[in-house]
Amino acid sequence: MQRYLRLILTIMALIPAGSSAQTPPPAIEGPVYIATYVEVVPTALDEGGALLQHYRDASRKGAGNLRMELVQELGRPSRFALLAIWADQKAFEMHGKSASTAQFRDGLKAVQAAPYDERVHSGLAVGARDAVRRRSVVVLTHVDVPPPFKDTTVSLLQQLAEASRKETGNQRFEVQQQASRPNHFTVVELWADKKAYDAHVMAGHTRQFRDKLGPMSGALYDERLYRPLE
């Protein structure tokens, strides 16, 4: 026990003073891609959904907004995601200071099951910005690898995006890279229906991607399916 405590004290002594403060992520050049995950308590589905829809509609009117979509997780209706694009860093920051954002954050406190998770990205392999459709199956995947594997993963994701866009039923295949943690990625997929998505899962390039990613992955392959809310 004493050896363990000495080891902890030694490690703490090596950490520079003030290192606990979070370093702001670097400014993004070009469009800013946001994925925000929200979970409300099961008894507030209607209230939470209405709040999110109101925020989505207000955000679409904001200066510099290029996309604001709201989706609900299939099988877990208390989980939602907001998918946004802002023209640049300035537009994103101004939105964060807007009255509609403040109102949304205040209202969410009463119904949230946990604090919302906002992830800020640059576009890595984004392709066309096709709008989400009513019957689309929306797939959000968080890919996390240790920093030494970042560049290899970037190449694998770019190859996957290019091949997947050629599949029947694909409406969007978008790879985003987190600003604060460039070894973390969000993959946004739109498929015409569940059949098209299932075919993608069985495709050779998809299985090859997962086989190669597996040994490098720093966390579970977090893939979730959603439906659009309009």
Side-chain angles (χ1 to χ4, degrees):
M1 177 62 74
Q2 289 182 345
R3 291 181 60 190
Y4 176 76
L5 290 174
R6 285 199 298 269
L7 177 61
I8 295 297
L9 291 172
T10 301
I11 294 173
M12 292 178 65
L14 294 174
I15 299 175
S19 62
S20 59
Q22 292 185 349
T23 302
I28 293 174
E29 297 292 335
V32 179
Y33 293 75
I34 310 295
T36 305
Y37 299 89
V38 177
E39 182 175 1
V40 301
V41 294
T43 55
L45 287 182
D46 291 342
E47 185 180 354
L51 177 66
L52 285 159
Q53 288 173 317
H54 178 77
Y55 174 63
R56 176 203 60 198
D57 295 344
S59 299
R60 285 174 173 172
K61 300 174 184 177
N65 180 259
L66 304 179
R67 181 175 77 197
M68 177 61 80
E69 298 167 341
L70 174 62
V71 296
Q72 185 176 31
E73 188 172 342
L74 294 173
R76 297 290 296 271
S78 59
R79 291 181 174 180
F80 302 85
L82 289 157
L83 305 174
I85 306 177
W86 295 94
D88 51 34
Q89 186 80 25
K90 181 179 179 181
F92 168 59
E93 291 175 355
M94 291 300 294
H95 169 71
K97 300 174 183 177
S98 68
S100 61
T101 299
Q103 183 180 15
F104 165 70
R105 290 172 178 170
D106 287 342
L108 188 61
K109 292 176 184 177
V111 297
Q112 67 185 17
Y116 67 90
D117 182 356
E118 180 181 79
R119 302 180 184 182
V120 182
H121 310 78
S122 59
L124 178 63
V126 295
R129 297 172 182 163
D130 293 345
V132 67
R133 303 170 193 176
R134 180 178 298 179
R135 296 184 181 277
S136 297
V137 174
V138 182
V139 185
L140 303 182
T141 305
H142 179 65
V143 177
D144 168 9
V145 297
F149 298 126
K150 173 180 70 68
D151 292 342
T152 301
T153 302
V154 166
S155 179
L156 289 175
L157 285 167
Q158 289 172 329
Q159 293 172 31
L160 178 67
E162 183 177 355
S164 299
R165 292 188 192 117
K166 298 175 183 177
E167 292 185 53
T168 300
N170 180 256
Q171 299 171 340
R172 184 193 303 167
F173 203 99
E174 197 169 81
V175 181
Q176 306 170 5
Q177 186 174 24
Q178 280 192 244
S180 60
R181 295 179 295 177
N183 56 310
H184 289 228
F185 308 86
T186 296
V187 181
V188 181
E189 307 170 42
L190 264 64
W191 297 94
D193 50 34
K194 186 64 162 51
K195 182 179 179 180
Y197 164 73
D198 288 342
H200 166 70
V201 172
M202 294 184 289
H205 53 261
T206 304
R207 297 170 71 181
Q208 290 173 13
F209 165 78
R210 294 186 181 182
D211 284 345
K212 293 178 180 179
L213 179 69
M216 300 185 296
S217 184
L220 290 175
Y221 191 75
D222 187 359
E223 180 183 76
R224 304 180 188 182
L225 275 60
Y226 297 79
R227 69 180 186 94
L229 287 181
E230 288 296 333

